[in-house]
Amino acid sequence: MTAGVTPTLIVGGYLGAGKTTLVNHLLRHADGRRIAVMVNDFGELTIDADLIEGAEGSVLALAGGCVCCSFGSDLLGALQDVLQRQPPPDLILIETSGVALPAAVARSARLLPGLSIDGIVLMLDAETVRQRSADPYVGDLVRQQLLDADLLILNKTELCSPTQLAELNAWLPTMTTPCTPVVPAKQARVPPELVLGFHAGLSTGLDATTGDALARWAAQPIGQPLAPASDRFVNELLMLAAPTDPQQLLASLTAPDSGVVRAKGWLTDLAGQRHLLQQVGRRIELLPLAPDAGPSGPDRLLVIGLAGVYRGDLLQNK
């Protein structure tokens, strides 16, 4: 991560969409990351019992140096406490209430120095999201959640027929901000790097180790009758020619036909300034680096895309 800045991801979605399942899945695949999970109340997020190593006050100690903190109505106070932990977390996940607006939570979190919002990941129940969006009581909330999202995970796809899924895929772009990627999932099983990003590799750079770890996940069957992740996602380590025109690259990453859902890397702009690039869905951030910051070696970009949609050719020579 950038020195002194803790990346933070908002995980939202209406009641029953699968947020709890996703968070437990991510904790099981933390791979050495120290993840702090922030929840309104422990009773609203059931951490798998075998992940819990202890409890003290409003903090659960989890396996692998992760923690789960209850913040009640004082999110900023709880975040300040987490940021002061030693060692500090590598990543913070804020799991919102099912009836909360993720963008409002993100606005509050941005008030704290030393914290950056990576993006808003929204879980959707494929079987009920259209019905919920039309509900006279909660429809406006669900529709706003869709607009807030940078990345949509369409969960519980096994409960829908091929026709229903096709109709959903045609409907969702009409309800979201243009270029918001939609990732299908069953039991909230997605490659962890898709959500967690590549923060574990920041100190050493995006090297073969990071790419190999993602490749191993992509080849891993994720349970029957689920298809292996390699059938749904591709990953590519792109070597960038220096200097790079950042605006052209950003336009390519967010193009509707690029198929890119996650990207991270380093590039040198036309003026010789080096940058850290971080993308979650349609949200993209370009941070200038100090001359001695970032990894050595050539500029490079690690990308996750949707299989059959991803077009790496759009990113070459940018």
Side-chain angles (χ1 to χ4, degrees):
M1 72 186 78
T2 304
V5 177
T6 301
T8 302
L9 199 69
I10 312 295
V11 178
Y14 192 69
L15 301 168
K19 298 186 297 295
T20 297
T21 307
L22 175 68
V23 168
N24 281 293
H25 169 64
L26 297 176
L27 290 171
R28 291 186 179 282
H29 296 87
D31 289 339
R33 300 176 180 86
R34 294 183 301 276
I35 300 175
V37 180
M38 312 292 297
V39 296
N40 287 336
D41 182 86
F42 290 142
E44 295 184 15
L45 180 65
T46 306
I47 300 293
D48 288 348
D50 61 334
L51 291 173
I52 300 174
E53 295 185 343
E56 182 178 347
S58 61
V59 178
L60 294 180
L62 307 178
C66 299
V67 295
C68 181
C69 303
S70 173
F71 62 81
S73 61
D74 188 10
L75 172 61
L76 295 184
L79 282 171
Q80 286 179 320
D81 291 342
V82 165
L83 291 172
Q84 292 170 3
R85 293 182 67 89
Q86 293 299 324
D90 296 315
L91 176 73
I92 297 174
L93 291 178
I94 301 176
E95 195 268 349
T96 68
S97 163
V99 294
L101 293 175
V105 176
R107 284 194 295 271
S108 296
R110 285 195 185 95
L111 296 175
L112 284 181
L115 184 150
S116 68
I117 301 297
D118 268 10
I120 295 171
V121 176
L122 193 73
M123 295 293 292
L124 303 178
D125 183 335
E127 189 179 34
T128 65
V129 63
R130 291 190 70 178
Q131 176 185 353
R132 298 293 187 200
S133 72
D135 187 280
Y137 299 102
V138 301
D140 56 345
L141 169 70
V142 173
R143 293 191 298 272
Q144 187 61 52
Q145 288 180 341
L146 285 165
L147 288 172
D148 288 348
D150 300 304
L151 176 66
L152 300 172
I153 298 180
L154 186 62
N155 195 31
K156 305 184 183 182
T157 55
E158 72 278 11
L159 302 179
C160 298
S161 68
T163 299
Q164 289 173 317
L165 288 177
E167 292 174 349
L168 265 176
N169 286 326
W171 172 78
L172 278 172
T174 70
M175 304 298 294
T176 60
T177 303
C179 304
T180 303
V182 180
V183 175
K186 301 174 184 178
Q187 303 169 24
R189 299 296 298 270
V190 296
E193 299 291 355
L194 192 67
V195 179
L196 299 180
F198 312 108
H199 306 294
L202 276 175
S203 60
T204 56
L206 298 175
D207 54 17
T209 302
T210 309
D212 287 348
L214 185 56
R216 285 196 300 273
W217 167 267
Q220 172 189 344
I222 55 176
Q224 299 301 324
L226 308 183
S230 56
D231 287 353
R232 293 174 289 136
F233 303 99
V234 295
N235 70 92
E236 184 173 16
L237 182 60
L238 298 175
M239 309 310 292
L240 300 177
T244 297
D245 184 333
Q247 297 310 313
Q248 286 188 22
L249 179 60
L250 300 188
S252 298
L253 285 169
T254 57
D257 58 345
S258 71
V260 174
V261 292
R262 198 58 145 120
K264 184 147 199 174
W266 287 265
L267 62 89
T268 303
D269 67 20
L270 301 179
Q273 170 69 55
R274 205 159 194 228
H275 298 264
L276 169 65
L277 183 150
Q278 166 81 3
Q279 178 187 3
V280 182
R282 64 182 175 86
R283 183 186 298 271
I284 194 162
E285 188 175 39
L286 201 61
L287 297 175
L289 297 174
D292 58 347
S296 59
D299 291 352
R300 51 209 184 273
L301 189 68
L302 184 57
V303 180
I304 303 177
L306 294 173
V309 180
Y310 171 67
R311 291 190 56 193
D313 60 298
L314 292 177
L315 309 179
Q316 297 290 353
N317 300 319
K318 297 298 183 183

